Amino acid sequence: MTPRTIHSSHRSTVVLALVLASLGSAQATTITVNDVGDGENAADGKCTLREAIKAANTNTASGGAAGECAAGQAFPTVDAIHFAIPGAGLHTIALASQLPDISQVVTIDGYTQTGSSANTLPVGDNAVLLIEVSAALLPTFTDTFRIAASGTTVRGLVVSNTRNQAFSVGFSSPADNVVIEGNFIGTDSDGTAITAAANLNLIRLNGTGNRLGGTTPQARNVIAGGGGSSAGTVAAGGTGNLIQGNYIGVDATGTQPLQPATATNAIELGPVGQANATKIGGSESGAGNVILGTSLGITLGGGVHDTVIQGNYIGIDATGARRLGGNLGIATNNGPTGTIIGGSQPGAGNVISGNNTGIYLGDGAAGTIVKGNRIGTDASGTRPVSNHGSGIFLQTPSAGSIIGGPNPGEGNTIAFNCGQGIDMWPGYVGWAMLGNSIFSNAGLGISLNHNGTPVANDVGDLDTGSNNLQNHPVITAAPVAAGMVDLAGTLNSLPAKTYRVEFFSGLGCHPTGSGEGRNFLGARDLLTDVSGNASFGSGSAMFAIPNGHSVFTATATDPDGNTSEFSQCFGTPALLFHDDFEGGCAGYD
């Protein structure tokens, strides 16, 4: 790693931060909760959670008798609330009223209770949580924890029977750098049964740099489904918030839905206010979430920009092999901008499978980049975990968006979907679809007319519609020798323009005769003449092909990013039927 020069002004800031951290560590008070009660009785020898939060907030001991809650210390110290409740097994703190707002920075650590332990599993969650905070007796629309103090951490708790938010971070004004990790939220103590009320967002983040979960197994939260039409199970606003490594709407095994009877949204950006640079998942090991919203997995709304969604399993379980379900995996509305879904680096791609529609981009989604994902497949990209509709549905202008890309690792795998691979609502333009592997969808690989009927070429390519109904190339020859194919053919479109023609190989063909593109072979730029004609052949489109591939197709993309449907197949197809397991749809390659 290359050393980084720290300028003097920055150096003094770093030194000050280190000094403050040292002071905080040396002077911080540990406040020990030793009773499951919810009272505030002075001099009774007991320290309840309510009293402990009050002691941390006010820096005043809650009474004077031995065993009472010790006084917290003033900022910049970070007090700690630990647990030492007598007896074995689960200890339930049944709240009689809303807890005091957390107004001074504190770490609340349920793992300090004897017998507790954090999760150690990369898949699943074997945490033993022995401190339960139950809101069962609270009125509806009452929060459990409200956090106003930046830098607060809460870990190792079961937060059950939620009546409104389990955690409301920055509820009246933003709170920053809050960490919520290693909890079971809206569940029982095993993380296998839901205790959350329906149609409530269990976690609300408002601020900068807050983290829900993390990249290590012990940081994982198990969060029951909630939300509904007004807000998600997790709703976030602010800048640079992280949502990583969690099971959201999924139980502690990572394999079963944890949902109320009503429809839920898992993660929603927008209702809390503008959300800038939210990161959901990540490319690093352990960063991806397992996400199930029976209505919406991730939804991006107005005022949301530069969101990064990477490494998540959306609609598919933690093993990457079985369908959990859901309506829309990822959806946009009210014009979010600059969204990145997936990525070209290892671990950045999402698996978006087992939903009705994998990705729905509508109502404005400018500058959306969709790359490196697996849509309709298992985590390996080779077996079906079908989306029951289309893999991607587009109902918005591109405005600089792209599906796939020209560089290695940018192409998506879009396969085994029960509708189209990529489906476009008529009338929208500018959608470039480059370098993808699209195969074995029950409908067309790309459908510009949203009806599953291939669009015929027209002379001069003067028709209009989705992607201007861009003409596709026509392959006229494909001799194969020594593992190489020498493709020849033509493109007729607008005159004196340069088109990117992409070539694909596969095993079979759709019954309409219109192909898909299992294996991306490569691309060539073709310049049309004054009559709008261009050709390829005689070695100009020669590629190595995988063993057994005998069918070839092509697409054309104009300089404005309008990609055609796949061409008609050329070659001898072997119509391969794919087994219908895990919701897999029969598709022809």
Side-chain angles (χ1 to χ4, degrees), residues 304-306 332 335-340 362-369 396-402 431:
V304 175
H305 52 102
D306 300 315
T332 65
T337 60
T339 304
I340 297 174
D363 198 17
T368 301
I369 297 172
T396 182
S398 165
S401 300
I402 187 171
W431 281 99

Side-chain angles (χ1 to χ4, degrees), residues 142-383:
T142 302
D143 296 334
T144 304
F145 288 94
R146 301 209 306 178
I147 300 173
S150 297
T152 293
T153 296
V154 182
R155 64 168 65 95
L157 302 179
V158 180
V159 184
S160 67
N161 298 288
T162 50
R163 310 299 294 165
N164 201 44
Q165 279 85 46
F167 293 97
S168 183
V169 176
F171 54 92
S172 58
S173 60
D176 306 330
N177 302 313
V178 172
V179 175
I180 300 172
E181 63 179 10
N183 304 286
F184 288 178
I185 304 171
T187 81
D188 65 358
S189 61
D190 295 323
T192 57
I194 186 169
T195 65
N199 296 318
L200 303 176
N201 51 307
L202 275 72
I203 298 170
R204 190 175 177 91
L205 305 177
N206 178 29
T208 297
N210 297 302
R211 172 164 60 84
L212 178 64
T215 59
T216 62
Q218 57 265 34
R220 175 176 299 134
N221 297 291
V222 177
I223 306 168
S229 60
S230 60
T233 302
V234 178
T239 300
N241 293 306
L242 295 175
I243 302 171
Q244 296 183 316
N246 305 288
Y247 290 174
I248 302 176
V250 182
D251 77 352
T253 70
T255 63
Q256 298 297 320
L258 201 59
Q259 298 284 324
T262 54
T264 64
N265 302 338
I267 299 175
E268 187 158 344
L269 306 184
V272 184
Q274 291 194 357
N276 172 35
T278 306
K279 190 171 188 179
I280 302 172
S283 60
E284 58 269 48
S285 177
N289 304 279
V290 180
I291 299 169
L292 173 61
T294 53
S295 178
L296 299 168
I298 300 172
T299 176
L300 312 177
V304 175
H305 52 102
D306 300 315
T307 306
V308 176
I309 303 170
Q310 293 182 330
N312 303 289
Y313 286 6
I314 304 173
I316 189 171
D317 75 355
T319 70
R322 298 184 64 85
R323 179 181 191 268
L324 289 173
N327 182 29
L328 305 179
I330 299 175
T332 65
N333 64 86
N334 294 322
T337 60
T339 304
I340 297 174
I341 302 173
S344 59
Q345 64 269 44
N350 303 283
V351 182
I352 309 169
S353 302
N355 306 280
N356 286 335
T357 297
I359 299 175
Y360 168 76
L361 301 179
D363 198 17
T368 301
I369 297 172
V370 182
K371 60 183 178 181
N373 303 287
R374 292 169 177 169
I375 303 171
T377 78
D378 68 352
S380 74
T382 61
R383 294 166 66 86

Side-chain angles (χ1 to χ4, degrees), residues 26 46 58 96 136 174 177 224 255 307 310 323 326 392 398 400 438 455 483 534 537 543 548 551 557 569 588:
K46 297 177 180 179
T58 63
N177 302 313
T255 63
T307 306
Q310 293 182 330
R323 179 181 191 268
I392 300 176
S398 165
I438 303 176
V455 174
F543 304 97
V551 173
T557 302
C569 301
Y588 295 102

Side-chain angles (χ1 to χ4, degrees), residues 413-481:
T413 298
I414 306 170
F416 308 117
N417 297 289
C418 300
Q420 327 299 330
I422 301 175
D423 193 4
M424 290 189 69
W425 189 259
Y428 297 103
V429 298
W431 281 99
M433 309 168 194
L434 306 178
N436 301 292
S437 173
I438 303 176
F439 64 95
S440 292
N441 297 288
L444 299 179
I446 300 171
S447 178
L448 299 183
N449 266 342
H450 182 55
N451 60 9
T453 300
V455 174
N457 285 343
D458 63 307
V459 176
D461 207 1
L462 298 175
D463 52 357
T464 59
S466 293
N467 274 4
N468 291 327
L469 299 184
Q470 170 63 48
N471 280 355
H472 56 70
V474 176
I475 298 174
T476 58
V480 175

Side-chain angles (χ1 to χ4, degrees), residues 13-57:
T13 302
V14 171
V15 171
L16 178 59
L18 291 173
V19 170
L20 290 175
S22 176
L23 289 173
S25 175
Q27 298 178 3
T29 297
T30 297
I31 306 168
T32 302
V33 176
N34 62 12
D35 190 76
V36 297
D38 191 41
E40 295 184 72
N41 300 314
D44 64 356
K46 297 177 180 179
C47 181
T48 65
L49 176 60
R50 183 177 300 276
E51 290 176 313
I53 293 173
K54 181 178 178 181
N57 284 341

